[in-house]
Amino acid sequence: MARIIVVTSGKGGVGKTTTSAAIAMGLAKKGHKTAVIDFDVGLRNLDLIMGCERRVVYDFVNVINGEASLNQALIRDKHCDLLYVLPASQTRDKDALTQEGVGKILDDLSKDFKYIVCDSPAGIEKGAHLAMYFADDAFVITNPEVSSVRDSDRMLGILSSKSRRAEQNLEPIKEYLVLTRYSPERVRLGDMLSVDDVQDILSLHLLGVIPESKSVLSASNSGIPVILDEKSDAGQAYEDIVARYLGEERPHRFIDEKKGLFGKLFGGK
Amino acid sequence: MSTTVTKNPSSPAILEFKSSTFSVPVLVLSGSDVDLIQEQLERKISLAPEFFKNSPVVFDLQLLNKQGLCLDVATLVDILIKFKLLPIGIRGGTSGQVEIANSLHIPVYSIHNNLSQTEPFQQHNKIQTLPEQTGATLNTLINHPVRSGQRIYSAGDLTVAAQVSAGAEILAEGNIHVYGALRGRALAGVQGDINARIFCFDLQADLISIAGNYKISEDLDDNVRNKPVQIYLRENSLIIKDLV
């Protein structure tokens, strides 16, 4: 059986798709057969971030409607043989998704894959609901600012009350916090919430902090998940997150400001 | 050969049974004086007439029968209908009461209480005030954080052993206890109990209210914020006092 991970946030533009692409790639690189599904029907983005937009023939909605098989719609990633992408439809809207249809696809994928990453659309409506409904684990993506934190809190409430696990009284979804676009310098200046502030409000297990980084934008634009950019701080941060998710203990990085050589030599904390 | 279209076995199914959970108010009776029941029911309903209008209700006779009091189920059903309630079940009845309920087509529920913790709008009607009953006040315990957008209602006291997020709402007919940061709205004594209190570990609430007397976040002094306090009503104004 596969483990189904939803990457969700409530708010838009916080890094759900970037994170989905990065962790799916990270899991596959660690040797686990992984599928990543774009639930943002109508605003298809994941294929761009994954750099497979020119190979899309069939999509998620085609499979739900029985117009294509899963194997026809799944796109194998260029960089990793164990990673497959199921793109969203750009020409349809979220009403094309049905609970039965999504359930069946996840069931079928579960037979063959180890991890299924569901890239949720923003909002708390149908698309987002279906993306999280069948999840076993949730990565809640939050930016260090108040509205994003509030929306994440709302999403956590929905995860704990409207998911399949909640409805069937199973063990609840495991929730993890991923703090993205973090800038220690701006925290110091007081225009950004700190890791502690966010954790105080959400009281959630912190899986990792992704620093604000130019490498994210350039990776997105070139269609290569940022985790493959091993030199970048964001790439390393995602690598840490995948390792921690898989049970490895790693100290948190990128929470404090970068120190110069002098600071590195003599700096305490 | 099938002769009629309606009996065609290949026609698509037009019905199915599904399992669903509903929250229904339970009327717990602890006295059998019919006049008193009517009088107190009327008073309760007048507090929220729209809520009770045509509301389904399950009546619970366990407390009554424990005291050896007896009540005619048919009379009770008539009273409920008179007050525009729709009796849909009996709980904790004696075999005689169950028999009458059956003859009135009223379903019988077992006394085993497996209601979820967040059961909203459950009514706990203390029709007779029995001093020894105070220890048995209905208490709802919530062990997980109450998130933004969630709403929890307790017909008695409400204890939250976690935080209450901004944008969440907790309501209780009795007292409210929050063993974490209280950032959302907390309304105690929502059925008019002016003796209800709110206790919290860390006051940062959007709104606090006791029996309809409320204060919004902006009205809270800085010297009561971010610390353990209790909130109670004295002469129609909310008093916020340090707990330690």
Side-chain angles (χ1 to χ4, degrees):
Chain A
M1 276 301 278
R3 196 90 188 151
I4 300 173
I5 303 168
V6 62
V7 178
T8 189
S9 68
K11 198 173 168 62
V14 296
K16 285 183 293 299
T17 303
T18 301
T19 303
S20 299
I23 60 161
M25 178 63 78
L27 289 166
K29 296 266 283 179
K30 293 253 184 194
H32 305 293
K33 194 171 178 188
T34 303
V36 55
I37 306 178
D38 190 351
F39 273 77
D40 206 347
V41 177
L43 293 167
R44 194 178 94 192
N45 281 166
L46 179 69
D47 52 319
L48 292 171
I49 309 284
M50 302 285 301
C52 64
E53 75 277 8
R54 292 197 286 182
R55 292 189 287 148
V56 174
V57 184
Y58 296 108
D59 58 53
F60 195 14
V61 173
N62 291 134
V63 182
I64 285 187
N65 292 343
E67 295 150 4
S69 72
L70 252 181
N71 286 334
Q72 285 174 304
L74 284 171
I75 304 169
R76 181 187 285 210
D77 187 80
K78 283 185 294 218
H79 306 280
C80 183
D81 283 352
L82 291 171
L83 179 60
Y84 290 78
V85 183
L86 182 56
S89 168
Q90 181 72 346
T91 52
R92 307 292 291 272
D93 60 33
K94 267 93 183 164
D95 291 332
L97 299 176
T98 60
Q99 190 159 307
E100 297 76 35
V102 172
K104 177 153 192 322
I105 289 182
L106 291 175
D107 263 358
D108 289 349
L109 286 172
S110 287
K111 289 171 197 149
D112 204 21
F113 286 86
K114 184 81 189 294
Y115 291 100
I116 302 170
V117 179
C118 301
D119 179 22
S120 171
I124 52 174
E125 287 81 23
K126 193 172 182 187
H129 180 256
L130 286 175
M132 67 89 193
Y133 184 78
F134 297 97
D136 301 305
D137 300 315
F139 284 25
V140 178
I141 315 300
T142 306
N143 285 174
E145 51 102 13
V146 285
S147 62
S148 173
V149 173
R150 172 74 65 93
D151 291 358
S152 292
D153 194 54
R154 177 86 170 100
M155 187 47 82
L156 286 161
I158 294 172
L159 287 169
S160 64
S161 59
K162 300 215 172 119
S163 61
R164 180 183 65 93
R165 283 176 172 268
E167 283 178 7
Q168 298 178 1
N169 270 325
L170 304 170
E171 194 189 325
I173 294 178
K174 280 210 181 77
E175 302 156 342
Y176 301 96
L177 175 64
V178 176
L179 201 53
T180 53
R181 311 197 67 166
Y182 194 76
S183 161
E185 195 195 353
R186 296 187 62 193
V187 171
R188 181 173 53 86
L189 295 171
D191 20 311
M192 204 178 246
L193 296 177
S194 70
V195 178
D196 290 341
D197 293 338
V198 177
Q199 277 206 280
D200 183 42
I201 300 173
L202 292 179
S203 55
L204 206 59
H205 178 72
L206 179 71
L207 198 56
V209 174
I210 310 296
E212 176 81 71
S213 165
K214 285 180 190 138
S215 56
V216 172
L217 186 63
S218 57
S220 296
N221 284 334
S222 54
I224 301 165
V226 68
I227 196 168
L228 294 175
D229 183 355
E230 284 159 17
K231 288 199 194 76
S232 77
D233 44 4
Q236 292 172 23
Y238 276 119
E239 215 273 317
D240 282 355
I241 282 182
V242 172
R244 281 188 206 111
Y245 172 71
L246 292 173
E248 218 175 289
E249 296 251 349
R250 287 197 186 182
H252 284 287
R253 297 195 274 171
F254 314 111
I255 292 179
D256 299 315
E257 280 183 75
K258 278 180 210 151
K259 297 189 184 98
L261 181 63
F262 197 76
K264 272 184 189 161
L265 287 172
F266 299 103
K269 203 189 161 214
Chain B
M1 286 295 287
S2 73
T3 49
T4 58
V5 183
T6 49
K7 280 187 180 168
N8 187 345
S10 65
S11 62
I14 57 162
L15 59 81
E16 67 179 308
F17 281 103
K18 283 197 165 173
S19 167
S20 259
T21 325
F22 299 92
S23 23
V24 176
V26 178
L27 178 67
V28 183
L29 292 170
S30 52
S32 63
D33 183 332
V34 174
D35 292 336
L36 211 53
I37 291 177
Q38 297 216 42
E39 188 191 313
Q40 299 195 5
L41 201 53
E42 187 169 7
R43 207 183 312 148
K44 273 278 182 198
I45 288 176
S46 68
L47 290 172
E50 278 310 305
F51 172 72
F52 286 108
K53 195 173 175 187
N54 296 329
S55 165
V57 65
V58 172
F59 48 94
D60 186 329
L61 305 180
Q62 193 192 24
L63 273 178
L64 194 84
N65 292 325
K66 261 190 193 161
Q67 303 168 56
L69 297 169
C70 97
L71 180 66
D72 180 34
V73 171
T75 315
L76 178 62
V77 167
D78 285 343
I79 294 173
L80 294 175
I81 292 172
K82 196 176 88 188
F83 282 104
K84 297 218 158 40
L85 292 167
L86 303 171
I88 59 155
I90 175 175
R91 204 166 65 168
T94 60
S95 57
Q97 288 166 333
V98 163
E99 206 171 297
I100 299 172
N102 279 332
S103 71
L104 292 168
H105 301 289
I106 289 183
V108 177
Y109 292 93
S110 75
I111 197 67
H112 174 66
N113 191 343
N114 56 358
L115 296 175
S116 74
Q117 291 177 333
T118 54
E119 205 68 54
F121 304 124
Q122 196 184 357
Q123 291 296 307
H124 183 77
N125 266 352
K126 281 184 222 134
I127 285 192
Q128 257 185 7
T129 28
L130 300 165
E132 65 271 21
Q133 223 189 287
T134 45
T137 319
L138 197 72
N139 191 4
T140 306
L141 173 67
I142 305 291
N143 266 322
H144 53 80
V146 184
R147 301 291 186 182
S148 184
Q150 288 185 319
R151 198 158 178 263
I152 290 186
Y153 188 101
S154 167
D157 284 4
L158 175 63
T159 308
V160 181
Q163 61 168 9
V164 177
S165 294
E169 193 169 59
I170 52 173
L171 306 99
E173 291 179 19
N175 305 312
I176 288 177
H177 307 261
V178 180
Y179 296 97
L182 169 58
R183 298 193 175 95
R185 297 166 159 238
L187 297 91
V190 289
Q191 295 283 0
D193 182 358
I194 56 168
N195 294 317
R197 292 188 178 204
I198 298 170
F199 303 85
C200 69
F201 205 66
D202 179 358
L203 179 67
Q204 306 176 32
D206 289 336
L207 179 146
I208 45 171
S209 161
I210 293 171
N213 299 275
Y214 68 90
K215 262 192 181 163
I216 54 173
S217 179
E218 216 174 62
D219 299 337
L220 297 179
D221 282 347
D222 278 346
N223 60 10
V224 297
R225 288 174 171 276
N226 304 102
K227 57 179 170 186
V229 294
Q230 65 164 317
I231 301 154
Y232 55 93
L233 205 54
R234 189 191 288 157
E235 286 155 10
N236 289 328
S237 59
L238 289 177
I239 312 289
I240 305 174
K241 221 177 145 195
D242 290 3
L243 261 182
V244 281

